[in-house]
Amino acid sequence: MTSPHAHAGPHAHRATSGPSGVTRRRVLYGTAAAGAATVLPAAAHAATGRGRRTVAVLGGGMAGLAAAHELVERGFAVTVFERRALGGKARSIPVEGTGSGGRRDLPGEHGFRFFPGFYRHVPDTMRRIPFPGNSAGVHDNLIALSSTRISRNAGRSDIIVPQLPASGGGLDLDVLKETLTGLVQQAAAIPASELALFVDRYLVYLTSSAERRLGEWEHVPWWKFVRAEGRSGDYRAIVARFLTRGLVAVKEEVASTRTVGAMGEAFLLAGLGLGADGGLARMLDAPTNEAWIDPWVRHLRDRGVRFEVGQAVEALETGGGRVRSVRVVDAAGRRRSAAADWFVCAVPVDRARTLLSPDVLALDPGLATMRNLRTEWMNGLQFFLRRSPRGLDQEVNFMDSPWQITAVLQSRLWDRDFSRDYGDGQVADCLSLDVSDWDTPGILYGKPAKKCTRAQIAKECWAQMKDHLEDTGRSVLPDDLVHSWFLDPAITWRPSDGSNANDEPLMVNTVGSWANRPGARTRIPNLFMAGDYVRTNVDLATMEGANESGRAAVNALLDAAGSPAERVPVWKLYQPPELDGLKRLDAQRYRSGLPNLFDTVPG
């Protein structure tokens, strides 16, 4: 997915270990746990001298797999219940029946996988997933993006995201201001006064204390923060709309300034080489399941994790002030109860809310606020092409497209020969899209994506891309390029009225949503929450947030169990120490009811 999206201490230190991510104690403990995890739960109890060693992980997406990974390394007997397929929204979805002549089915996805440099938790997990021929496991399947193009329509010049200069380990306000100005100047249509306005507004955010970010900016929409009302169309498109809908899939009028600002800050600092695991952004060198998910599942199975796929969690069954068991149902409607000592709820927020029965809420009334969380749609569409188009970069963001389309040309990333490896031999490439705005009318049918048919969605996406790429009368994307297309099967249509629905929406960070998100530990002593909607340092619904939430749930479980196992490392987003003095001053001003020192532009 395009939207990225951590954090613990001003210098982004790990919680318990050095830069390598592995301590000697952890290696020794993990080695012992590998054996313990493969024996019966009763033997696992005896191995540690303590009871309550079985864990049911509800959901096999990013959060559930991350939790299972950390738990099994620490000696727990883990079973993962997943209703559909392991990997969640990150998984590959082969286009069934398209492979012939010994080739695999065409590789469909929910959308392309995007790994910003400020991700720390996902890369750490990847390094611990073995992959043949890779010294750093699955992590070696990540490759740095060499080019990113922000495409404009109506004759506007495209924006090439520049390679930012390395900071050399330090940072000051002049560097920040010059970098921000240089980046936004790429969009030359923005008037100089508005460019200065945005840079000044962003300096306000960068120098704001944690107290102000949570107490004030969490409750201010990004649109209002950047003073978008009454500004030029380009200012609204680039500064307001692109930084919200294009990056975090939420409308600028309701997006939390705290979240949007933090993501912009993280990208900026990662581009300067500060607090980053790798370059500015990376992607996988093969379809997601081949490069990551399948090796991960094999590794967890080898360690002793049991997977119950096709088992949807229907209810939490309580008794004695705890969760006794979960009721699961398969595709045929057969129901059964599954007991465990501990439960990690890692299903998506829309499904987690269905588990909040009166019995559950009686034990933890605070979970009811999850019902106030908002979801939006961000889903993928793949165009399978007869030949590779010329003139496309690795990643292209079609910034002026009504549906906020971002696309990746997979031939520039994947180490695959399409015509040899996939489909019917006629497909040479794949243009993989993320569609982030499903509510704005398109240019062909005048309807939002939520009101279009499946074929209309494909035609509209193609037309919106062509609208950006027309050059001297010749299109980069001629119509005969398309062999076939594949829309995320999470989008379904209701026979009654022809409208569509989304089986896998995305939680979005609207103003004030932090207060409605649960923490990893609940008031139910053996129930823990994991998922991209749980409170995390990264504070955005992403793979990184899901992974971090799985780690937080495991740490809470370890505390509740009185386990001697080493706690799972957790990072915070990097905060430049050079700004600490200004942030301390801002904290004092905030407590005194004063604005940020740089906040001089009238609202």
Side-chain angles (χ1 to χ4, degrees), residues 219-226 228-229 236 240-241 244-245 250-257 260 374 376 437 440 509-511:
H219 304 281
V220 174
W222 181 252
W223 175 269
K224 182 177 180 180
F225 177 78
V226 297
E229 191 67 36
R236 295 196 303 270
R241 191 166 191 247
T244 54
R245 302 190 193 200
V250 60
K251 296 176 179 62
E252 57 274 17
E253 295 89 352
V254 297
S256 162
T257 290
V260 179
R374 177 169 167 175
E376 292 285 359
D437 187 333
T440 299
N509 295 64
T510 54
V511 290

Side-chain angles (χ1 to χ4, degrees), residues 353-407:
R353 288 189 287 225
T354 68
L355 304 179
L356 301 179
S357 67
D359 289 342
V360 171
L361 291 178
L363 297 175
D364 188 348
L367 293 174
T369 61
M370 290 168 52
R371 291 172 174 162
N372 299 324
L373 295 174
R374 177 169 167 175
T375 60
E376 292 285 359
W377 297 13
M378 176 184 265
N379 296 75
L381 171 71
Q382 283 77 49
F383 286 103
F384 298 107
L385 309 178
R386 300 181 188 279
R387 58 190 181 276
S388 294
R390 297 180 178 181
L392 282 187
D393 297 81
Q394 289 175 327
E395 182 191 18
V396 182
N397 190 304
F398 298 92
M399 192 178 73
D400 297 313
S401 60
W403 292 0
Q404 290 296 286
I405 295 169
T406 308

Side-chain angles (χ1 to χ4, degrees), residues 474-488:
R474 186 178 67 84
S475 175
V476 176
L477 298 177
D479 292 341
D480 68 347
L481 205 61
V482 179
H483 171 279
S484 55
W485 49 265
F486 177 70
L487 179 65
D488 186 343

